[in-house]
Amino acid sequence: MYQDTDSDEENDDDILDKDYMPEEVRGEVEVYIESESSDSEEEQCPDVPCRDRKWRKKENLSLGTHSIPSPTAGEHAAKDIYDIFKLFFTDEMVEHITEQTNLYAVRDKNCTNFHVAKDEIKKILGLMLMSGYHSVPSENDYWSTSEDLEIPIFPKTMSRDRFRSIKRYLPVADTSNLADSKIAKVLPLLEMLRERCQANGIFHEYLSIDESMIPYHGHHSTKQYLKNKPLRFGYKMWMLCSADGYPYNFELYCGKESKTLAS
């Protein structure tokens, strides 16, 4: 593994050939077990090739009882998806982004006639989340009126010019008082999200510490290139998760000399 800071992604793609293909790829886990008939056949005919044996797929693989029931499960059971989302992305976070956006526009960019309200920040964050799973060829196409591209929720929520205006001045950190970190501009949001994950999570008996990749093909000093991984370009994040995937702690990898986040 090495950190790719100078070369372009397109040039890096050219170096991949059959010798660099990943040994493992992400996908559905399939478990196959040998049937009883094949066991008996193997005992009688030990020289039968594996390809001639009968196999069947086992649909469910149980890891046993590993989850500790949450005492707040009953409290949250009746909540809808948006209420659950607000447990982790709180109104305080939205207010923080709103304040920093207005401050950055006026103080740093000298745009004295710019002002954004908290409701508009909620709308633009919602549109950004939606754009993450509803992809179109370009940003302009989200406001397209073409029958094959039209997405009514975007123009109904916010005009294209207003979306771009807010997006231009959308920081999540005080640019005049940034931390000594390569990810200082997003560090406050990461810390708030981690705090909410810890506040709403119940520790499980089985934990997993591993790396997770956030796909990214732009240019940034913390972007990693892992040539034998399914996701070769992106940000690497160390994760502490439960056996069922709930994140308790995470830290964005910024290189060997980077300072770790507070535990």
Side-chain angles (χ1 to χ4, degrees), residues 93-105:
M93 295 183 187
V94 177
E95 291 175 358
H96 172 79
I97 297 175
T98 303
E99 179 183 353
Q100 294 303 323
T101 300
N102 288 319
L103 184 63
Y104 178 76

Side-chain angles (χ1 to χ4, degrees), residues 133-181:
Y133 64 84
H134 193 137
S135 299
V136 293
S138 68
E139 185 177 274
N140 285 336
D141 292 330
Y142 285 108
W143 285 267
S144 173
T145 57
S146 176
E147 292 183 358
D148 60 337
L149 286 175
E150 185 177 9
I151 310 174
I153 191 173
F154 272 78
K156 288 181 179 179
T157 303
M158 183 177 293
S159 68
R160 182 185 62 185
D161 291 342
R162 182 57 176 170
F163 178 88
R164 288 180 171 176
S165 176
I166 299 175
K167 183 181 176 183
R168 186 182 301 116
Y169 308 120
L170 193 68
V172 295
D174 187 351
T175 55
S176 65
N177 187 28
L178 294 176
D180 183 15
S181 172

Side-chain angles (χ1 to χ4, degrees), residues 66-67 70 72 76 84 87-88 193-204 206-208 239-250:
H66 58 273
S67 297
S70 170
T72 59
H76 300 320
I84 297 296
L87 291 175
F88 300 91
L193 285 173
R194 183 183 56 187
E195 179 183 351
R196 298 312 302 163
C197 287
Q198 294 176 353
N200 293 290
I202 303 297
F203 254 66
H204 289 216
Y206 298 100
L207 301 176
S208 173
M239 305 284 292
L240 171 64
C241 301
S242 66
D244 54 10
Y246 183 89
Y248 297 119
N249 202 353
F250 46 82

Side-chain angles (χ1 to χ4, degrees), residues 22-35:
E23 298 178 356
E24 299 180 359
V25 295
R26 298 191 303 172
E28 180 184 0
V29 176
E30 296 184 355
V31 179
Y32 293 86
I33 63 173
E34 192 174 355
S35 63

